[in-house]
Amino acid sequence: MNTVKVSSPYIRSIPSMVLKELQWAQPNPSYSPKSPSMLATNLIKSYFEKGSVKEARNLFDEMPERDVVAWTTMIAGYTSCNYDSLAWSMFHEMLNEGFMPNAFTVSSVLKACKGMKSYSCGALVHGLAIKYGLMGSIYVDNSLMDVYATSCCSMKEACLVFHDVNPKTDVSWTTLIAGYTHKGDGYGGLRAFQQMLAEGADQSAFSFSIAVKACALTGASSNGVQLHATILKHGLDSSLPVMNSMIDMYCWCQCPSEADHCFNEMPQKDLITWNTLIAGYKRSNSSKCLALFTSMESQGFTPNCFTFTSVIAACADLSLLTCGQQIHVDILRRGLDKNIALANCLVDMYAKCGSISDSRRIFDSLSYKDLVSWTSMMIAYGVHGYGKETVKLYNEMVRSGIQPDRVVFIAVLSACSHAGLVNEGLTYFNSMLTDYNIIPDQDIYRCVVDLLGRAGKTEAAYELIKNMPVDPNDSVWGALFGSCKAHKLPNLGKLAAQFILEARPDMAKTYLMLSNLYASEGDWGDFAKMRKLMKGLGGKKEPGCSWIVLKNDVYSFVVGDKVGPQMERVYEVLSMMVLHMDEADYVPDINCCLHDPEDGT
DNA sequence: CTAGGGTTAG
């Protein structure tokens, strides 16, 4: 017999080209299918590999006989295409039809549990793995650890599993380190990495890249520098993930020249290399972020959603509306506008560049809005002073079934405080505590103190501070100080200022306001003391600046600017504005202005 | 025949 029997009902959905391949392969004597479904199983796998999920499913549905391998292929295939819940229901169906899962099946379905971040699914499979005697398979153990690390808030469960893995492989260690690191616990990740070294486990590019990521999270470069040396010693600097991680670490640890050095020395780069450095510079030097973006295409790299989110955020930081609009066009041209994270970033950019109607247009165009979309739009309204709109949006969001988080409450509370919606704000604060069990942190307290303080309820704000479960930080006291200043409560103000200066002795603004307060009371001794302390800070305080974009150039101004292009014209316009202010009987409050008493500016 | 870990945004 030299042809494949094609009478099986499931074979008809196989494309004729593939059939030819199969017929050609058949005479090969080494080819001996172990089960009747093997051909179909291999095809299912290749369908998944090229993303043809529907075709894979059709073929599976038409198989007259399915074995555990076919089922496992379906489960693993769905997961590899990010259809984790479909993988999970496949597993259910398989059990219902009486099949016994093997180690392959269990590790595949555990990967689906990880994708769903489902602790309960993971625990259920854990139980089944014990029942079927599959614990002890290194694949099962490692993937179970991974599920627990991803789905539990602590690493306790993952560590319990890890403890019993024997022998531990570099995969086990990498999974453990990644568990801590992905939770944001850089020191936990580093501790696990050190333990791994102490136990003499094999080191790989995998474990190094995640360990370097852990260093990035700690924000201190000392560990990272040591790792860098070890990586060079092991010759692992040829691994892109390792070096990309290294660039990221140097950026997070404020070592831009080291990040540049790694970047320039890399003989090969990928898109992630570029994106990592671009994202790093977005946080420290937005102009350089834009410059890198401009040069990446000439080096043969095509920007993606990651690139654009950084670049759009850089435009937002620099308030470059025209630049942001041009890049937005680029995003539309490349069809990336459906990416939700990027769209959220655009909402933020337009708001920061003063074009709130564009923010709203993008927000409305989203077919699916996530928590960040709602938050971005609420913050956009908030900074523009549209408190009522923020509150409206909050209510809409809750109605649409999205659970607000800490950041949402910061947005709502600060919007309420700027719009004078005291009672609404307090209602949301209570709802946050009782309906959503969010433990208020310093930022939330600052918002509530500000809410009360702006409304003139300074004493109530002070009472709240006194009853805080943790020691209030300088920004909480700062909110109270602002209220004391606005509502002329010098004694409480002095108290608040003392607390601020205790935590932040570098706050020039606070010394100034405090000295003005002493002056108004005729307390010239304390006045002089404050001025002296302030002078001691030297030029540490960065002056606030304004700027204007003309054509493609940004012109920025600070107080007392004497040189610069067309400065005479600037001062001309300035004096005209002062005239207008006088005409409108506007008396500016210069009490909070920073000025140098020496030269009278 | 079927299974595992790492890097970039928000």
Side-chain angles (χ1 to χ4, degrees):
Chain A
M1 188 178 83
N2 58 3
T3 53
V4 165
K5 225 178 144 220
V6 291
S7 55
S8 318
Y10 60 88
I11 218 99
R12 65 182 138 87
S13 59
I14 301 178
S16 57
M17 258 177 66
V18 179
L19 259 181
K20 266 190 200 144
E21 289 285 314
L22 293 176
Q23 285 169 340
W24 174 83
Q26 182 65 9
N28 184 343
S30 69
Y31 183 85
S32 52
K34 287 178 191 156
S35 79
S37 63
M38 193 176 148
L39 289 179
T41 303
N42 278 335
L43 261 174
I44 289 173
K45 195 187 169 201
S46 46
Y47 275 135
F48 275 121
E49 275 164 4
K50 61 183 169 100
S52 309
V53 177
K54 283 238 159 63
E55 287 81 353
R57 180 67 200 234
N58 286 340
L59 185 48
F60 180 77
D61 285 343
E62 291 178 27
M63 285 171 76
E65 272 180 71
R66 300 163 186 144
D67 58 6
V68 66
V69 179
W71 282 99
T72 303
T73 306
M74 284 304 291
I75 294 166
Y78 272 134
T79 307
S80 69
C81 296
N82 296 318
Y83 291 104
D84 296 305
S85 358
L86 285 175
W88 180 251
S89 31
M90 269 279 129
F91 181 64
H92 262 258
E93 257 182 74
M94 172 187 161
L95 294 179
N96 283 339
E97 297 207 2
F99 286 95
M100 263 233 281
N102 62 19
F104 288 84
T105 322
V106 167
S107 72
S108 301
V109 79
L110 283 171
K111 196 178 175 185
C113 300
K114 180 195 178 182
M116 296 186 295
K117 289 192 199 317
S118 169
Y119 168 77
S120 51
C121 293
L124 196 99
V125 178
H126 189 177
L128 288 172
I130 294 169
K131 178 176 158 190
Y132 292 114
L134 299 170
M135 292 307 297
S137 150
I138 190 70
Y139 284 92
V140 171
D141 292 357
N142 288 342
S143 46
L144 183 63
M145 252 178 77
D146 208 359
V147 176
Y148 281 140
T150 316
S151 65
C152 303
C153 16
S154 85
M155 283 293 288
K156 212 178 98 197
E157 288 84 352
C159 287
L160 283 172
V161 178
F162 180 77
H163 183 79
D164 290 336
V165 181
N166 187 29
K168 300 178 200 333
T169 62
D170 56 330
V171 180
S172 321
W173 284 105
T174 306
T175 307
L176 183 75
I177 302 165
Y180 286 106
T181 307
H182 290 156
K183 284 187 161 42
D185 181 1
Y187 288 108
L190 279 180
R191 267 198 308 277
F193 181 74
Q194 274 159 354
Q195 204 187 333
M196 170 184 163
L197 295 182
E199 298 197 10
D202 286 338
Q203 294 157 42
S204 65
F206 285 94
S207 55
F208 273 111
S209 56
I210 192 67
V212 173
K213 170 82 202 173
C215 294
L217 286 171
T218 67
S221 62
S222 53
N223 288 307
V225 171
Q226 282 186 35
L227 272 178
H228 193 171
T230 317
I231 283 161
L232 291 173
K233 214 166 69 187
H234 287 248
L236 287 171
D237 53 327
S238 56
S239 153
L240 277 169
V242 168
M243 289 315 286
N244 292 343
S245 218
M246 193 75 74
I247 292 175
D248 187 49
M249 183 275 293
Y250 280 126
C251 287
W252 279 108
C253 299
Q254 272 112 36
C255 305
S257 51
E258 279 82 355
D260 278 341
H261 182 77
C262 289
F263 183 81
N264 293 329
E265 294 293 306
M266 280 169 75
Q268 277 174 19
K269 299 178 179 71
D270 63 4
L271 185 55
I272 297 181
T273 315
W274 281 89
N275 286 347
T276 305
L277 195 64
I278 287 174
Y281 274 113
K282 186 224 84 187
R283 297 185 294 261
S284 64
N285 181 346
S286 299
S287 315
K288 183 149 181 193
C289 164
L290 292 176
L292 276 166
F293 170 68
T294 316
S295 63
M296 74 181 287
E297 277 204 272
S298 62
Q299 310 268 324
F301 290 91
T302 309
N304 68 3
C305 298
F306 283 83
T307 326
F308 281 115
T309 44
S310 299
V311 172
I312 285 293
C315 293
D317 281 345
L318 298 168
S319 293
L320 299 176
L321 179 60
T322 313
C323 184
Q325 284 168 332
Q326 285 168 354
I327 295 171
H328 188 185
V329 172
D330 202 3
I331 289 165
L332 291 165
R333 200 165 49 86
R334 293 172 200 266
L336 297 173
D337 54 310
K338 291 289 157 248
N339 178 285
I340 183 136
L342 184 47
N344 297 342
C345 222
L346 284 165
V347 168
D348 186 61
M349 183 273 289
Y350 278 117
K352 285 183 178 152
C353 292
S355 191
I356 185 104
S357 55
D358 284 318
S359 297
R360 182 72 208 215
R361 201 166 305 138
I362 291 164
F363 178 76
D364 286 336
S365 76
L366 293 173
S367 49
Y368 168 75
K369 299 174 176 67
D370 66 8
L371 180 66
V372 181
S373 318
W374 290 95
T375 315
S376 305
M377 195 62 227
M378 282 162 62
I379 292 174
Y381 276 135
V383 298
H384 282 259
Y386 299 134
K388 290 216 166 78
E389 306 294 332
T390 306
V391 168
K392 213 175 128 199
L393 224 48
Y394 171 83
N395 293 326
E396 270 178 55
M397 185 193 87
V398 172
R399 244 181 286 129
S400 81
I402 290 184
Q403 288 256 331
D405 70 350
R406 208 189 115 256
V407 187
V408 168
F409 280 105
I410 291 175
V412 177
L413 290 171
S414 57
C416 287
S417 118
H418 288 283
L421 304 168
V422 194
N423 292 329
E424 286 89 338
L426 291 176
T427 309
Y428 290 125
F429 179 57
N430 282 325
S431 164
M432 181 191 85
L433 303 170
T434 54
D435 302 335
Y436 300 103
N437 287 320
I438 295 172
I439 316 276
D441 60 2
Q442 304 276 6
D443 290 332
I444 297 279
Y445 275 110
R446 190 202 65 224
C447 290
V448 183
V449 167
D450 194 57
L451 177 77
L452 294 165
R454 278 177 197 267
K457 299 176 186 291
T458 318
E459 284 298 333
Y462 183 44
E463 282 306 308
L464 183 76
I465 291 181
K466 282 197 285 190
N467 290 314
M468 275 172 65
V470 285
D471 278 343
N473 67 7
D474 58 290
S475 72
V476 174
W477 284 116
L480 188 75
F481 188 43
S483 169
C484 295
K485 193 175 133 304
H487 298 99
K488 310 259 182 285
L489 294 164
N491 292 329
L492 194 50
K494 274 183 262 182
L495 180 92
Q498 293 301 345
F499 277 109
I500 297 170
L501 293 174
E502 221 169 86
R504 296 283 307 271
D506 58 330
M507 293 277 268
K509 197 176 143 188
T510 310
Y511 289 113
L512 180 94
M513 294 203 284
L514 200 51
S515 71
N516 288 350
L517 221 162
Y518 286 130
S520 68
E521 295 183 330
D523 179 352
W524 302 108
D526 281 324
F527 170 84
K529 219 192 281 174
M530 287 304 121
R531 288 288 161 139
K532 202 175 158 203
L533 284 168
M534 198 173 92
K535 255 184 95 179
L537 291 175
K540 269 188 196 163
K541 166 85 171 76
E542 268 207 23
C545 71
S546 298
W547 62 90
I548 185 170
V549 183
L550 292 174
K551 298 226 169 90
N552 284 323
D553 288 310
V554 182
Y555 298 89
S556 75
F557 322 90
V558 293
V559 176
D561 255 352
K562 292 190 178 74
V563 285
Q566 311 216 4
M567 257 315 148
E568 325 77 59
R569 291 276 294 141
V570 172
Y571 279 104
E572 235 171 77
V573 174
L574 207 56
S575 40
M576 213 161 72
M577 287 165 74
V578 172
L579 276 177
H580 284 306
M581 273 161 62
D582 284 344
E583 273 168 31
D585 287 332
Y586 178 78
V587 183
D589 177 9
I590 54 164
N591 201 30
C592 58
C593 295
L594 250 192
H595 57 98
D596 186 347
E598 302 293 304
D599 71 10
T601 46

